[in-house]
Amino acid sequence: MFSLISTRHRTENLFYNTRVRASISMHWADVIAKDLAERSDHPLIATGISPTGIIHVGSLREAITGESIRSAVEGLGKDVRLIYLIDSFDPLRKRYDFLPEEYEKYVGMPICRIPCPCGKHENYAHHFVQPFLDAVDSLGVHCEIIWTHELYEQGKFAECIDQTFQKRQEIIEILHRISGKPADPNYAPYDPVCAKCGRYTKPLFDTYKFPYVEYQCSCGYHGKADVRKADGKLTWRLEWPAKWKIFGTAAEPFGKDHAAAGGSYDTGKVIAKEIYGIEPPFPIPYEFVQLKGVGQMHKSLGCSVTGLDAIRMTPPEVLNYLFLRVLPSRAIDYDSGLGILDMADEYDRMERAYFSHEYTDAEANSVRAYEIAQHNHVPKELPLQVSCRHLCNVVQMADTFDEQMKVLGRTVDLTDATDRDFKRIKRRCDCVTYWLKAFAPDKIKFSVSPTIPGGTKLMMNDKGFLQSLVSRMNDCVWEPEVISGIIAETGKISPIGLKNAYKVIYQLLIGKTAGPRLGTFLASMDKQFVINRFNQAAHSDM
RNA sequence: GGGCCUGUAGCUCAGCUAGGUAGAGCAUCUGACUUUUAAUCAGGUGGUCGGGGGUUCGAAUCCCUCCAGGCCCGCCA
């Protein structure tokens, strides 16, 4: 049976939680969901982000992990909520390289009170979190967005802040005991914001009398903060468990940094019990996402793969699947090279397996991962599948989506395609296009030249080959198999041989010596365009 | 220094909770087809399960130990 309850507070190994199996091939999200559902009828799952800077791929893993558990619990018939806390009241820690010089003066201020770097958003926090919220939305994460600075404005933290002043010595003792760091008698669990300069400062403890505490800011201002208002904030190690109390959090995914022994979960757990008097949430620590082959790809771009890059180049359903197919305890190497196509292919394969019910025991977990990746919105029947690999070729042959669909229509039957199918294909086209532009290796890139590429040199025999090719193509059915058959036969008979025949064709169309397989490639193009090109080359002087 | 995660086929990973003859996909090779290139189908090759001990009739699986990689212990997931 399930033993999660008895093991859930093992501090020595938080990752143990997700290794627990109820039976062979049960997905980790189901194991956790079942445990949550057994303990509560209205479980709340919390997750969040601190949008102090550019968002990375790992933040997406957190959101997807939370959503997958939410949907798994929902699948068990429970009324479950997923909240997404945006830490908009966090201070700007330093002026990052990507910020202009003048932002130096904002260091130490809450990010919801710092102007937007681009001027298009409400403030600094909005600027950095907005693209991420868009991503979360496109990933199908069903969460309620909550801004931490609003919680402070509403006085939600007041009770906890009061307790931290009452029990400050206990807190210092706990932090010392759990984290092993030397006790700091001046530790402040609460930092007021200076009403004059707008930066966080330290409180004068002995002036505290609910709801006010005084402070002497380094800017010279002496002021008074109201803990019922957004006049200051709890420090992270106290704020986190305070959020658990405010929302009654039942489970929360978080990065392994918080999971380290003596880290903020360890101290938070004890503070939750001994200071705030609540039970800590079920911890779901997850490993970090790394980037494969980081060194090389940076140089060409001058930057690394951010969460935005990941969402732009990976179709959302595939990205969901990528994070669900492995245990949270496993580090993921995000492969922004060819591996991205392999991953998309694997996703499609699991989709087929799900609908055909034909898969091995080893694949069962991945098929369930596919299902969970739909967040309880699994299609009724197998959608029209067009591989990203094929779309790579299509998007390089036409610029607009309408034209791309015309191209695609030459090799894929789109007559029964639904709106939903087109939406998915559109998303995939967008991702593939972005990927080609930013990360794809050169060998799969090409562009069909509007005229014969400059520098093309043809011998007499090459032209002879093209002439016989054209005469065969003129009245043939324009289909992949027919085309490749003609090329093979004509090339073999020709003095230049089949190998060179391929080279000549690629050269004339894309100016390279290799390219996509010719059958589908040529079939994707207009027949007359191809024939004209070959004809023109056969009769030219080059 | 303390702690966590990981190490299974060339690559990405299942399998370990409750020990019972090593599994998938991709890649590669070969063949459907008189079409070798980045689309499709079938089949094959491929691993002393990081090393070494121990428990056991039997260990990828449990225990001990060592090695390697990654990461955390300052509010970057």
Side-chain angles (χ1 to χ4, degrees), chain A residues 172 209 228 351 411 450 493:
Chain A
I172 291 169
K209 187 162 187 290
R228 299 166 307 177
E351 186 166 65
T411 48
I493 304 167

Side-chain angles (χ1 to χ4, degrees), chain A residues 28-39:
Chain A
W28 56 263
D30 291 324
V31 177
I32 296 169
K34 182 142 189 164
D35 178 71
L36 289 182
E38 282 170 0
R39 294 208 322 270

Side-chain angles (χ1 to χ4, degrees), chain A residues 461-462 464-465 490-498 500:
Chain A
N461 286 338
D462 296 332
F465 160 72
T490 316
K492 279 195 169 179
I493 304 167
S494 161
I496 67 170
L498 186 54
N500 286 318

Side-chain angles (χ1 to χ4, degrees), chain A residues 322-375:
Chain A
L322 169 69
F323 290 126
L324 291 174
R325 66 195 276 274
V326 293
L327 291 169
S329 60
R330 199 170 267 279
I332 292 176
D333 276 338
Y334 185 87
D335 185 350
S336 62
L338 285 172
I340 210 167
L341 295 180
D342 291 336
M343 190 51 57
D345 282 349
E346 182 177 315
Y347 173 88
D348 287 349
R349 199 163 53 77
M350 290 311 145
E351 186 166 65
R352 272 177 261 126
Y354 174 82
F355 286 99
S356 69
H357 304 287
E358 287 172 15
Y359 48 86
T360 63
D361 289 346
E363 290 168 323
N365 200 60
S366 295
V367 173
R368 177 62 183 148
Y370 160 79
E371 193 182 358
I372 297 173
Q374 314 305 314
H375 308 320

Side-chain angles (χ1 to χ4, degrees), chain A residues 216-432:
Chain A
Q216 178 64 49
C217 183
S218 56
C219 76
Y221 183 76
H222 185 100
K224 194 195 268 188
D226 184 338
V227 302
R228 299 166 307 177
K229 297 177 181 169
D231 287 354
K233 81 184 281 290
L234 288 166
T235 53
W236 167 246
R237 286 192 187 241
L238 279 298
E239 186 183 85
W240 197 19
K243 288 171 178 166
W244 298 342
K245 177 167 182 169
I246 291 171
F247 293 102
T249 309
E252 179 161 349
F254 49 87
K256 66 183 283 184
D257 52 339
H258 296 313
S264 50
Y265 183 79
D266 268 6
T267 54
K269 187 178 63 179
V270 177
I271 288 166
K273 289 183 189 169
E274 298 183 11
I275 305 296
Y276 299 146
I278 55 157
E279 277 300 305
F282 184 93
I284 307 161
Y286 58 89
E287 257 285 0
F288 287 177
V289 181
Q290 289 151 340
L291 304 168
K292 199 170 184 175
V294 164
Q296 290 128 359
M297 62 192 184
H298 279 211
K299 286 171 190 155
S300 58
L301 265 161
C303 66
S304 62
V305 183
T306 67
L308 291 184
D309 287 325
I311 197 78
R312 280 187 195 132
M313 71 177 145
T314 322
E317 69 274 12
V318 177
L319 196 58
N320 267 311
Y321 173 75
L322 169 69
F323 290 126
L324 291 174
R325 66 195 276 274
V326 293
L327 291 169
S329 60
R330 199 170 267 279
I332 292 176
D333 276 338
Y334 185 87
D335 185 350
S336 62
L338 285 172
I340 210 167
L341 295 180
D342 291 336
M343 190 51 57
D345 282 349
E346 182 177 315
Y347 173 88
D348 287 349
R349 199 163 53 77
M350 290 311 145
E351 186 166 65
R352 272 177 261 126
Y354 174 82
F355 286 99
S356 69
H357 304 287
E358 287 172 15
Y359 48 86
T360 63
D361 289 346
E363 290 168 323
N365 200 60
S366 295
V367 173
R368 177 62 183 148
Y370 160 79
E371 193 182 358
I372 297 173
Q374 314 305 314
H375 308 320
N376 295 334
H377 292 83
V378 187
K380 293 279 181 292
E381 51 190 36
L382 183 67
L384 177 65
Q385 291 190 332
V386 182
S387 74
C388 288
R389 213 174 283 278
H390 186 39
L391 289 177
C392 268
N393 296 334
V394 173
V395 300
Q396 293 185 86
M397 282 188 263
D399 291 331
T400 67
F401 183 64
D402 285 345
E403 286 168 5
Q404 286 164 359
M405 288 308 95
K406 204 181 286 177
V407 169
L408 184 63
R410 292 188 186 121
T411 48
V412 175
D413 183 10
L414 296 173
T415 49
D416 291 332
T418 63
D419 282 353
R420 186 172 177 158
D421 289 331
F422 277 117
K423 265 187 192 157
R424 177 155 109 160
I425 294 171
K426 173 79 163 66
R427 276 201 308 268
R428 287 189 170 200
C429 283
D430 291 343
C431 288
V432 159

